[in-house]
Amino acid sequence: MVTVKTMKRWFTSLTVVAFILAAAIFNWSLLVSSKKPSDMEIAFVSDKAQHYSETGDEKLASTAQVPFPSMDVTNINTLDEALIKIQELEKRLKDIEYRIPKKYPEVKFLTFKDRKRILITGGAGFVGSHLVDRLMMEGHEVIVVDNFFTGRKRNVEHWIGHENFELIHHDIVNPLYIEADQVYHLASPASPPHYMYNPVKTIKTNTVGTINVLGLAKRVGARVLIASTSEVYGDPEVHPQTESYWGHVNPIGPRACYDEAKRVSETLAYSYHRQENVEVRVARIFNTYGPRMHMNDGRVVSNFILQALTGQDITIYGSGKQTRSFQYVSDLVDGLIKLQNSNYSLPVNLGNPEEHTITEFAMIIHKMVGGKSHIVNKDAVEDDPQRRKPDITRAKHVLGWEPSVSLQTGIEKTVRYFRKELMRSKHSERNLHIPVDVSNINV
Ligand code: NAD
Ligand code: UDP
Ligand code: UDP
């Protein structure tokens, strides 16, 4: 039987609960309306959104875009007020957990037999991070080793915490003892200003670092792919460059720290192969571009796009008659994976054979980006290779590989990425860029 007394007690309890709820909602709504998100909070959520859109996950990008309000925890005088605040904080934590997705792109499932442990040195760099994405999506276990000289955690952040992924902060000039089935040895600065910044370190990374990688491969029986370069051909006298050409390199010039060190890296690979039976693959990579390349690496693609986007002069070094052939990064990643898994152990050129003079390239970028930039000529840089175009007959023949992304499509994607990066640097000074002018580097 429900007595009047019991009903009164229920009524009182309900009133108290209703009052607490009303107070909580009122307090929360005041906080939401009065407190704007701080710049740091906006930067944080935008960073997340940028990441997911880079990896193509627009759904995750949009969930990460909503900034959340800050909480004012001053003016708490009573225990009840404190309890209410605690409840609000708990609710906010749940909101944050919900809004910062822990979801990873869905990777393919591979059985133990097919799944490989793949070590990528330099995996936080431009090329490395795209390779990480591809191999992770294929269902492999990926271990990135990087000293973050030119790479960034942000390039691989979207995989941190995934059970198949590991990021190790390590300088490959020092020995490394881990297990792997395959190694992609990409660790090395790649653009002229970066590799000329500390030439001795560039040499150590590509010689001592390569010895450590090959020593590791020898110990664990792994296959190693060395990221070599078209720079091994120097300023070539043979055009287009075939793998059988031995090159024309100045051993004491400003580029020698990179060119000669990469040549030694190749020599080491084949010496470990002959002497220690280490399985090696050598990719001679030609100029590559795409999203995640450094804004301020001083390379022609990044310089021209940035200059066009910001209305600065587009700077051609020398006459502009020198040529390059530009390959989009996804084509390179395809080629690297095909080469690693092929039966072919001699060097293979990976590049796009479509050749342009630098003046033509400046005009292409100027037209595609628009804007008011002027194209200007500056002093030539020392030992600048005058013609570069890969002969990819070997890659076609032994790998069944050839580039498929047109310059138009690749540049459009890269310009889109650079635009986003420029917007990002408005609220965070971190990515402030000053294009490096190689012609001013004293060598
Ligand atoms: P990148 O500078 O973006 O990446 C290189 C990565 O190596 C960075 O993450 C850097 O921090 C890391 N690294 C450098 N020294 C290291 C060390 N001692 N220990 C550990 N990590 C170290 O350059 P990228 O364009 O991605 O080039 C990757 C590889 O491809 C390089 O070996 C480069 O020589 C080769 N390559 C690139 C191009 C190109 O056009 N991008 C052309 C030819 C060859
Ligand atoms: N090394 C390494 N990780 C390994 C095995 C070797 O970093 O798992 C390094 C080792 O420190 C050595 C180098 O690789 O300096 C070359 O190894 P190798 O076995 O060829 O030479 P050795 O140790 O006989 O000098
Ligand atoms: N270059 C240029 N303006 C720039 C940057 C580069 O004219 O702002 C030229 C450079 O002199 C070279 C070509 O573009 O002839 C490619 O240079 P990059 O540094 O991209 O790569 P490289 O192929 O020389 O390693």
Side-chain angles (χ1 to χ4, degrees):
M1 237 344 241
V2 180
T3 63
V4 175
K5 211 171 158 189
T6 323
M7 283 177 72
K8 264 188 183 169
R9 240 187 255 141
W10 284 0
F11 182 72
T12 317
S13 313
L14 275 174
T15 314
V16 171
V17 170
F19 180 76
I20 290 171
L21 268 176
I25 290 165
F26 178 62
N27 206 341
W28 180 80
S29 65
L30 268 183
L31 285 166
V32 172
S33 58
S34 65
K35 187 86 176 162
K36 282 188 182 161
S38 69
D39 282 355
M40 253 179 76
E41 283 165 335
I42 295 175
F44 179 65
V45 287
S46 304
D47 269 4
K48 285 272 162 201
Q50 166 90 8
H51 259 310
Y52 291 118
S53 68
E54 266 167 29
T55 54
D57 200 329
E58 295 303 334
K59 205 171 144 203
L60 287 177
S62 66
T63 50
Q65 250 153 11
V66 195
F68 44 82
S70 283
M71 173 70 67
D72 183 1
V73 286
T74 53
N75 301 328
I76 297 176
N77 299 316
T78 67
L79 198 59
D80 284 350
E81 279 174 0
L83 279 173
I84 291 169
K85 293 284 184 203
I86 288 168
Q87 281 169 357
E88 285 170 22
L89 283 169
E90 280 173 349
K91 184 178 176 302
R92 272 200 61 215
L93 272 177
K94 276 194 189 142
D95 281 356
I96 291 166
E97 275 170 9
Y98 176 74
R99 287 177 189 182
I100 301 173
K102 293 245 167 61
K103 213 174 120 189
Y104 300 101
E106 199 162 321
V107 304
K108 197 172 151 191
F109 174 75
L110 290 181
T111 62
F112 183 71
K113 193 166 68 66
D114 296 324
R115 193 168 60 229
K116 294 193 173 66
R117 287 163 307 174
I118 303 178
L119 166 63
I120 307 179
T121 72
F126 158 53
V127 175
S129 62
H130 287 281
L131 184 61
V132 168
D133 287 350
R134 190 73 66 82
L135 295 171
M136 281 294 296
M137 294 305 284
E138 282 180 9
H140 296 291
E141 287 175 28
V142 176
I143 307 157
V144 165
V145 164
D146 205 295
N147 71 349
F148 303 112
F149 171 46
T150 51
R152 293 178 300 179
K153 274 194 196 127
R154 184 142 66 81
N155 287 342
V156 289
E157 195 194 27
H158 45 283
W159 294 114
I160 291 175
H162 192 286
E163 59 181 352
N164 287 354
F165 182 75
E166 203 175 342
L167 177 60
I168 302 175
H169 189 159
H170 179 82
D171 189 324
I172 201 60
V173 169
N174 301 312
L176 172 74
Y177 285 83
I178 59 167
E179 318 304 312
D181 304 310
Q182 286 187 344
V183 185
Y184 290 85
H185 180 37
L186 270 55
S188 167
S191 78
H194 285 162
Y195 66 65
M196 290 180 199
Y197 173 76
N198 185 343
V200 175
K201 180 70 185 191
T202 302
I203 298 170
K204 284 185 188 168
T205 298
N206 283 291
T207 56
V208 181
T210 303
I211 290 179
N212 287 333
V213 165
L214 290 163
L216 181 148
K218 178 181 121 184
R219 180 176 62 81
V220 301
R223 182 184 285 179
V224 181
L225 181 147
I226 305 281
S228 186
T229 166
S230 51
E231 287 281 327
V232 299
Y233 302 124
D235 189 4
E237 295 150 316
V238 167
H239 194 81
Q241 293 77 53
T242 51
E243 291 87 348
S244 56
Y245 176 50
W246 290 354
H248 180 225
V249 174
N250 173 1
I252 58 167
R255 291 181 175 247
C257 60
Y258 183 70
D259 300 8
E260 296 289 23
K262 286 285 186 186
R263 287 167 69 95
V264 172
S265 195
E266 288 195 11
T267 311
L268 283 165
Y270 291 109
S271 302
Y272 266 83
H273 174 60
R274 287 191 196 106
Q275 189 178 320
E276 309 287 355
N277 281 326
V278 175
E279 279 195 86
V280 294
R281 303 287 178 264
V282 173
R284 290 190 180 149
I285 303 170
F286 284 64
N287 297 60
T288 306
Y289 70 96
R292 296 196 197 138
M293 71 187 300
H294 304 259
M295 311 256 294
N296 59 346
D297 69 2
R299 280 188 263 197
V300 71
V301 178
S302 39
N303 270 11
F304 284 6
I305 293 179
L306 211 50
Q307 288 162 341
L309 283 172
T310 55
Q312 298 172 57
D313 288 347
I314 295 178
T315 54
I316 293 175
Y317 301 153
S319 68
K321 287 186 185 143
Q322 70 270 39
T323 67
R324 291 295 185 273
S325 312
F326 300 102
Q327 137 177 261
Y328 189 66
V329 65
S330 60
D331 282 333
L332 173 61
V333 168
D334 284 344
L336 292 174
I337 294 173
K338 282 195 166 165
L339 178 59
Q340 175 77 280
N341 296 301
S342 75
N343 291 324
Y344 195 78
S345 61
L346 288 174
V348 177
N349 286 341
L350 293 178
N352 191 320
E354 189 184 309
E355 186 183 10
H356 293 276
T357 66
I358 294 302
T359 302
E360 269 166 29
F361 189 61
M363 291 191 299
I364 292 171
I365 299 288
H366 189 253
K367 195 167 161 223
M368 280 179 68
V369 176
K372 293 180 184 151
S373 296
H374 299 286
I375 298 176
V376 298
N377 286 75
K378 301 193 91 182
D379 290 345
V381 292
E382 201 180 330
D383 286 348
D384 199 357
Q386 290 307 295
R387 293 192 78 185
R388 187 180 287 160
K389 168 181 168 161
D391 180 319
I392 58 165
T393 312
R394 185 176 282 182
K396 279 187 188 166
H397 187 64
V398 297
L399 308 178
W401 174 90
E402 67 182 308
S404 65
V405 180
S406 69
L407 190 66
Q408 171 88 16
T409 307
I411 293 290
E412 272 169 15
K413 289 186 181 186
T414 313
V415 169
R416 220 176 297 141
Y417 170 81
F418 273 52
R419 272 190 215 280
K420 276 192 195 165
E421 285 289 303
L422 280 174
M423 279 163 67
R424 176 205 277 281
S425 64
K426 281 192 183 143
H427 59 68
S428 157
E429 297 295 293
R430 278 179 320 203
N431 284 334
L432 201 66
H433 54 83
I434 301 150
V436 182
D437 185 346
V438 189
S439 61
N440 288 336
I441 290 182
N442 289 327
V443 285

